[in-house]
Amino acid sequence: MYYSPIKMKELLSKHGFNLKKMFGQNFIIDENIINNIINVSNIDKDTLVIEIGPGAGSLTYKLSEYSKNVVCYEIDETLKEVLKETLKEKENVEIIYKDFLKASVLDDLKKYEYKKLYVVANLPYYVTTPIIVKIIEDNINVDKMVVMVQKEVGDRFKASPGSKDYGSLSVFLNYYFDVKKVLDISKNVFIPKPNVDSIVVEFSKKQNLKELKNKELFFKLIRDSFKQKRKTLRNNLKGYNLDKIEEILLKYNYDLSVRAEQLNIDIFIEIANNL
């Protein structure tokens, strides 16, 4: 596998492949960045890796060297010949040419044996959040995700209460995972060069999830609380039992004039479990 802008362009040209903006295609061309992603992922021969959007196979190639198996989902079938060439030696890689958002991932994984399930990927920016939400909602029991995302999106994923990036998605993800930034990525390591910088974010599965009496109610409460971020809970939660909500808020020195962005996940859980 060659890692250089010239070699990558030659490879794509050889197979008549044109990069497509509609699929958010920005291919990594820096081997050092790929090695850094492998290092922070801590994958080993007990690990099955899911990669979404392998592109030309730059990351896939390295993943296959360290993991037991790599299962890739690629929406763009015109990459077949490119990936055939870059991954021709790799017998532990399966490429499924399908939109990950429409795939039955649990069915696809049934034939594999593994001890750990990781997602390691340079995610297409335009579907980053839907991909992560699908992994959660389809109960794809991943132990860890190490994903490269647009910096602005990554900042929302790892945001803390009180910060401008903290929102319903931050709370949603924080219920299931410990989230942290592990790498900064310059826009200069891709072809074509995107307009924004990226970060690599690590999601580690929480071993003991907080008890929720009604998960659907909890996530609805979160969505409604952040519905209009500049409004208070009193305004955003008019359809709820405000007396009960305020009773809990007062325990933490808040009242209904607080905005959702000030509250941590434990307060939301206590509110939901008492409604």
Side-chain angles (χ1 to χ4, degrees), residues 38 43-54 57-73 83 87 90-96 108-109 111-114 116-121:
I38 297 294
I43 57 176
D44 57 29
K45 291 301 179 180
D46 290 324
T47 310
L48 171 64
V49 177
I50 298 172
E51 185 186 11
I52 301 129
S58 304
L59 177 59
T60 320
Y61 189 91
K62 291 280 188 178
L63 288 170
S64 70
E65 293 184 337
Y66 292 87
S67 64
K68 185 173 185 182
N69 292 95
V70 185
V71 177
C72 303
Y73 289 87
L83 287 166
L87 302 174
K90 301 300 183 183
E91 295 181 359
N92 63 338
V93 176
E94 178 185 9
I95 303 193
I96 299 171
D108 294 335
L109 300 185
K111 62 186 175 184
Y112 291 99
E113 291 184 5
Y114 52 90
K116 293 178 284 188
L117 180 61
Y118 287 6
V119 172
V120 184

Side-chain angles (χ1 to χ4, degrees), residues 17-269:
F17 177 79
N18 295 307
L19 288 145
K20 300 173 186 66
K21 198 170 183 180
M22 64 182 285
F23 292 143
Q25 289 174 335
N26 300 96
F27 296 168
I28 313 173
I29 49 167
D30 188 310
E31 188 173 11
N32 290 327
I33 294 296
I34 290 169
N35 287 334
N36 286 340
I37 292 170
I38 297 294
N39 289 337
V40 299
S41 299
N42 291 317
I43 57 176
D44 57 29
K45 291 301 179 180
D46 290 324
T47 310
L48 171 64
V49 177
I50 298 172
E51 185 186 11
I52 301 129
S58 304
L59 177 59
T60 320
Y61 189 91
K62 291 280 188 178
L63 288 170
S64 70
E65 293 184 337
Y66 292 87
S67 64
K68 185 173 185 182
N69 292 95
V70 185
V71 177
C72 303
Y73 289 87
E74 178 52 63
I75 196 171
D76 187 356
E77 294 194 25
T78 66
L79 275 164
K80 276 184 180 177
E81 294 307 313
V82 174
L83 287 166
K84 258 186 207 173
E85 178 172 338
T86 56
L87 302 174
K88 59 179 179 285
E89 311 157 13
K90 301 300 183 183
E91 295 181 359
N92 63 338
V93 176
E94 178 185 9
I95 303 193
I96 299 171
Y97 288 95
K98 189 180 287 184
D99 181 350
F100 178 79
L101 295 177
K102 297 176 181 174
S104 299
V105 180
L106 293 177
D107 289 338
D108 294 335
L109 300 185
K110 280 178 181 174
K111 62 186 175 184
Y112 291 99
E113 291 184 5
Y114 52 90
K115 291 182 181 175
K116 293 178 284 188
L117 180 61
Y118 287 6
V119 172
V120 184
N122 168 25
L123 293 181
Y125 290 167
Y126 74 109
V127 284
T128 297
T129 299
I131 284 170
I132 292 173
V133 170
K134 175 187 171 69
I135 289 166
I136 293 169
E137 292 185 343
D138 285 8
N139 293 312
I140 303 167
N141 191 24
V142 298
D143 297 287
K144 186 191 289 186
M145 296 191 284
V146 178
V147 292
M148 189 185 305
V149 299
Q150 185 177 332
K151 183 180 183 304
E152 181 184 327
V153 175
D155 287 341
R156 291 206 297 275
F157 289 163
K158 65 180 183 61
S160 302
S163 69
K164 66 179 179 62
D165 295 310
Y166 186 67
S168 57
L169 185 61
S170 316
V171 183
F172 182 56
L173 293 174
N174 189 247
Y175 178 71
Y176 292 100
F177 300 101
D178 291 315
V179 185
K180 66 177 182 179
K181 181 184 83 171
V182 289
L183 291 170
D184 288 299
I185 307 291
S186 164
K187 64 185 80 167
N188 298 315
V189 305
F190 301 95
I191 62 164
K193 185 162 74 172
N195 296 323
V196 294
D197 288 325
S198 305
I199 59 174
V200 176
V201 182
E202 178 186 283
F203 300 77
S204 299
K205 181 176 74 174
K206 287 186 173 175
Q207 296 306 313
N208 298 300
L209 295 181
K210 298 279 177 67
E211 184 183 350
L212 288 173
K213 291 182 180 176
N214 184 329
K215 195 176 284 189
E216 288 72 26
L217 172 63
F218 172 70
F219 289 116
K220 183 178 185 304
L221 172 73
I222 301 302
R223 286 193 299 273
D224 289 341
S225 297
F226 285 91
K227 190 164 47 183
Q228 297 184 65
K229 277 193 77 173
R230 303 315 299 161
K231 290 200 169 182
T232 65
L233 288 193
R234 179 180 283 107
N235 287 315
N236 279 337
L237 299 180
K238 285 178 179 173
Y240 292 78
N241 183 339
L242 292 179
D243 290 339
K244 178 57 72 175
I245 292 172
E246 185 156 52
E247 183 183 318
I248 292 159
L249 290 173
L250 289 171
K251 288 169 57 178
Y252 298 94
N253 298 315
Y254 295 113
D255 59 30
L256 289 169
S257 65
V258 72
R259 295 189 181 108
E261 64 195 42
Q262 299 301 123
L263 305 181
N264 65 41
I265 188 169
D266 292 332
I267 299 175
F268 283 117
I269 288 172

